Amino acid sequence: MLEQLVHTPVEANITVPFLLLLLVVLEAVLSADNAIALASIAQGLEDRRLQRRALDIGLIGAYFLRVALILTATWVVQFWQFEVLGAVYLLWLSLRYFTAPEDEGHHHQSFRFASLWQAIPVIAFTDLAFSLDSVTTAIAIADQTWLIIVGGTIGVIALRFLAGLFIRWISEYENLEDAGYVAVSFVGLRLLLKALAPALVPPEWVEISAIALIFLWGFSEKVTPEPSDPE
């Protein structure tokens, strides 16, 4: 669907801005589940300041991994095993979350880090797993490497902003973290199908609609504050 939209006749002087806008929108739409997974991972650190630093440093590392993926994408897409590895990692991430013990707020605690430097590589490689899907989609849309890198750069900046918001929202909405990991499972399954059975991969509008519905559920119920003890 996106490829057909891009290749419809447009004036040459608006093609590049149009493609850049499309890539940025694509990154933003496909980043919600990525952002909530990164926010959840960062919460494995107790200190809020360390959580922000982990996201900052982890996403700097993730950016360079994305650029490396973009520059080698024409080689990477020849090997379906990379997508299988990414899919298995995302499905493992979701399974780890849903099987983890719950805290007093009935939220699963899948990661606990003793230091900042334990969290950073997990954040970077989690973003890389998500990027396997978004980067290959971007390549199908635009064949100009610099354009994909610019779109990816803006996407990482937006991802950092979203992840910071989700760290706060997870504590405010009852089902949001669960919804995020349901969406992670959906992306993992889609990536697995893309590698092993491309004919069964749902179109982009189905993925976007499904993720939108999942997040509507995630934002549907606010956490009820516990009543304070009477003095």
Side-chain angles (χ1 to χ4, degrees), residues 84-120:
V84 170
L85 286 173
V88 169
Y89 176 79
L90 293 178
L91 292 172
W92 169 80
L93 201 66
S94 184
L95 180 65
R96 179 187 175 112
Y97 170 76
F98 283 112
T99 57
E102 296 182 347
D103 60 16
E104 61 277 3
H106 303 292
H107 293 121
H108 297 280
Q109 298 293 310
S110 56
F111 285 97
R112 286 294 183 193
F113 300 112
S115 72
L116 173 71
W117 300 104
Q118 289 179 345
I120 287 170

Side-chain angles (χ1 to χ4, degrees), residues 5-25 138 141-151 154:
L5 178 62
V6 170
H7 291 113
T8 53
V10 294
E11 295 296 328
N13 62 341
I14 66 168
T15 300
V16 169
F18 176 74
L19 285 174
L20 183 57
L21 176 62
L22 189 61
L23 288 170
V24 171
V25 171
I141 292 174
D143 56 1
Q144 297 169 308
T145 301
W146 73 268
L147 191 61
I148 300 171
I149 291 176
V150 171
I154 296 172

Side-chain angles (χ1 to χ4, degrees), residues 105-187:
H106 303 292
H107 293 121
H108 297 280
Q109 298 293 310
S110 56
F111 285 97
R112 286 294 183 193
F113 300 112
S115 72
L116 173 71
W117 300 104
Q118 289 179 345
I120 287 170
V122 179
I123 289 172
F125 282 103
T126 297
D127 179 73
L128 180 64
F130 277 99
S131 297
L132 285 169
D133 190 31
S134 61
V135 167
T136 52
T137 302
I139 290 168
I141 292 174
D143 56 1
Q144 297 169 308
T145 301
W146 73 268
L147 191 61
I148 300 171
I149 291 176
V150 171
T153 301
I154 296 172
V156 168
I157 295 170
L159 182 61
R160 172 61 184 88
F161 175 73
L162 279 173
L165 288 176
F166 276 121
I167 284 179
R168 187 178 79 240
W169 289 340
I170 284 172
S171 62
E172 295 178 0
Y173 292 91
E174 189 70 41
N175 302 316
L176 185 56
E177 195 168 12
D178 288 351
Y181 277 99
V182 170
V184 170
S185 300
F186 187 88
V187 174

Side-chain angles (χ1 to χ4, degrees), residues 1-7 22 26 30 137 140-141 204 208:
M1 180 186 70
L2 291 172
E3 294 90 337
Q4 293 173 354
L5 178 62
V6 170
H7 291 113
L22 189 61
L26 177 69
L30 297 180
T137 302
I141 292 174
E204 286 88 354
I208 293 170

Side-chain angles (χ1 to χ4, degrees), residues 29-42:
V29 170
L30 297 180
S31 288
D33 43 10
N34 188 355
I36 200 167
L38 298 185
S40 178
I41 291 168

